[in-house]
Amino acid sequence: MIVTPTRGDAIALTRNLIAIDSRNPSLVSDGPGESACARSLALTLEHWGFRVEIQETVANRPNVVARIGRAGGRTVLFNGHLDTVGVEGMAHAPWDAEVRSGRLYGRGSSDMKAGVAAMCVAALHMVDANLDGEVIVAAVADEEYESIGTRALVDSGIRADAAIVTEPTRLAICPAHRGFAWLELIVHGRAAHGSRYDLGVDAITLAALALAELDEYQRTVLAKISHPLLGRPSLHASIVSGGLGLSTYPDRCRVQLERRTLPGETAADFAREVEQACARVQGRVPEFSADLVPGFAQAPNDVAATHRVVRTLAASLERAGEHASIEGLPCWTDAALLTAAGIPAICFGPGDIGLAHSAEEYVNVNEIERATGVLAGFLGEWFGGAR
């Protein structure tokens, strides 16, 4: 039975959130979505004194938007997602929220219900410390797929001076992360009996030539590009499919590609890279023919390490006796959407992204408490200090 956590108990709130199955239905056929988790959180925050709105996105996939403090002055947005990935193959019960040896286990513990709990409890500091300003807490849907939650939040016209997305960073400050772009390369051949080399055109072999060109490009060009926090960009072939039978020349080969992009790079850049690789193959092999189908893409995030939100969070970490490490985050997050909307957003939270989506997912209990304290300290400085 799930009960309302005591006011300010970040561990109890994390356990409550983990105990509610919120698997993303766009990723898992029987995933129930975020509704039950969102409504439980909304009730808790109302009980704690937040002004709470349930913001519908698509059917049964709501956001929770909760406000605390005084509107009309400085504003900070805390953002985190409630959806999780699937649980197949997990080494422990996904929703028991069991604590063992200082670790809290469960699907979503690290990614990122601990972060959601920490940001909610930290926001209470606005009232407890009588700070002048407003914190908006947004617990959103669908970050694991197409980010319909944060997109709806942005489309609603939400504004803030800065944002912290409490993704798992091991308490490092992450002002930058990579983006990604997906693309399908469909290579055409000509079907024929396996004995008729004079008639058949092998689409799979032609696709391999294009992949070899892209590999060469990655080793000679992309390997020389670097971002100070993120390292180099990358690309890889994710899925290759084609062929009709062992004794038949394949008439088609479909290659699904992913490019991880750095700040300043776009999905259109990736499409041009693939087009140019194909052109180089065609220059050597005239029968090469292919179509490119651009897919889903998300832009990178990049907030200057000198930005006030970074400096203020670093100062809070240091006051708490923590090391203020500034790092790049390898994965994509909703921070990019917020920054693009004019709300400079960085990532900081408890947990380890290396445990996200894994067979064993946990978060260290003391890390939740430490993150909560650092975020509360951040608010004290943000709303109490000079601009």
Side-chain angles (χ1 to χ4, degrees):
M1 178 179 177
I2 296 172
V3 298
T4 301
T6 301
R7 183 185 186 276
D9 190 337
I11 308 305
L13 180 54
T14 304
R15 295 185 73 179
N16 265 22
L17 296 175
I18 293 169
I20 302 172
D21 178 5
S22 58
R23 288 171 298 151
N24 190 317
S26 297
L27 299 174
V28 184
S29 60
D30 62 343
E34 302 85 352
S35 182
C37 195
R39 296 184 193 283
S40 175
L41 179 61
L43 287 173
T44 295
L45 296 183
E46 284 179 348
H47 184 72
W48 287 0
F50 286 77
R51 304 180 298 277
V52 180
E53 171 194 357
I54 295 290
Q55 183 185 70
E56 296 296 339
T57 59
V58 296
N60 214 35
R61 311 280 309 273
N63 293 335
V64 178
V65 182
R67 300 170 184 265
I68 196 165
R70 183 186 66 82
R74 299 184 192 179
T75 304
V76 163
L77 172 66
F78 286 164
N79 174 280
H81 65 86
L82 294 176
D83 62 316
T84 72
V85 297
V87 299
E88 185 177 359
M90 290 196 75
H92 52 81
W95 302 301
D96 282 3
E98 181 183 4
V99 177
R100 301 196 313 268
S101 303
R103 295 173 172 178
L104 174 51
Y105 287 82
R107 177 58 85 221
S109 55
S110 196
D111 185 22
M112 56 169 294
K113 291 179 177 180
V116 170
M119 73 187 192
C120 290
V121 172
L124 293 173
H125 194 62
M126 292 301 298
V127 173
D128 295 344
N130 195 29
L131 298 175
D132 186 19
E134 182 181 49
V135 175
I136 305 170
V137 167
V140 301
D142 194 51
E143 189 273 349
E144 297 287 3
Y145 189 62
E146 289 190 338
S147 295
I148 60 172
T150 293
R151 291 183 190 280
L153 191 70
V154 167
D155 290 344
S156 73
I158 199 164
R159 301 301 307 155
D161 298 316
I164 297 177
V165 179
T166 55
E167 289 276 6
T169 68
R170 298 170 290 104
L171 303 189
I173 301 171
C174 296
H177 65 63
R178 295 184 182 92
F180 67 87
W182 296 340
L183 182 149
E184 288 186 2
L185 175 65
I186 301 171
V187 180
H188 304 290
R190 183 185 304 117
H193 191 277
S195 66
R196 295 303 304 271
Y197 63 86
D198 54 326
L199 298 178
V201 175
D202 184 348
I204 294 176
T205 297
L206 293 177
L209 295 176
L211 289 176
E213 280 291 335
L214 289 171
D215 180 62
E216 178 70 10
Y217 176 78
Q218 178 160 225
R219 288 188 291 107
T220 59
V221 178
L222 295 186
K224 296 178 182 178
I225 301 170
S226 185
H227 182 278
L229 294 179
L230 300 174
R232 71 173 183 86
S234 63
L235 65 85
H236 67 276
S238 303
I239 302 173
V240 179
S241 57
L244 300 168
L246 281 172
S247 290
T248 304
Y249 275 80
D251 65 344
R252 189 173 183 270
C253 183
R254 177 171 173 254
V255 182
Q256 293 172 267
L257 299 161
E258 181 182 69
R259 171 78 145 77
R260 290 287 167 158
T261 54
L262 295 182
E265 297 181 321
T266 67
D269 294 330
F270 179 36
R272 281 193 294 273
E273 291 167 348
V274 178
E275 286 173 354
Q276 290 166 0
C278 290
R280 291 193 293 272
V281 174
Q282 192 171 41
R284 303 192 311 270
V285 184
E287 63 266 32
F288 181 89
S289 173
D291 295 320
L292 275 63
V293 183
F296 187 61
Q298 297 277 36
N301 189 51
D302 198 14
V303 173
T306 55
H307 192 282
R308 181 174 176 243
V309 68
V310 178
R311 292 186 287 106
T312 305
L313 186 56
S316 180
L317 277 160
E318 290 168 356
R319 283 196 305 273
E322 304 279 359
H323 176 56
S325 176
I326 298 178
E327 303 175 3
L329 195 63
C331 62
W332 188 86
T333 81
D334 280 350
L337 299 177
L338 297 171
T339 298
I343 305 172
I346 64 174
C347 294
F348 167 85
D352 186 345
I353 196 64
L355 297 172
H357 306 190
S358 65
E360 183 182 52
E361 183 177 357
Y362 63 85
V363 61
N364 290 316
V365 169
N366 78 330
E367 206 167 280
I368 303 173
E369 296 167 335
R370 290 157 60 202
T372 302
V374 169
L375 289 170
F378 164 84
L379 295 176
E381 174 64 24
W382 185 267
F383 292 106
R387 284 186 178 273

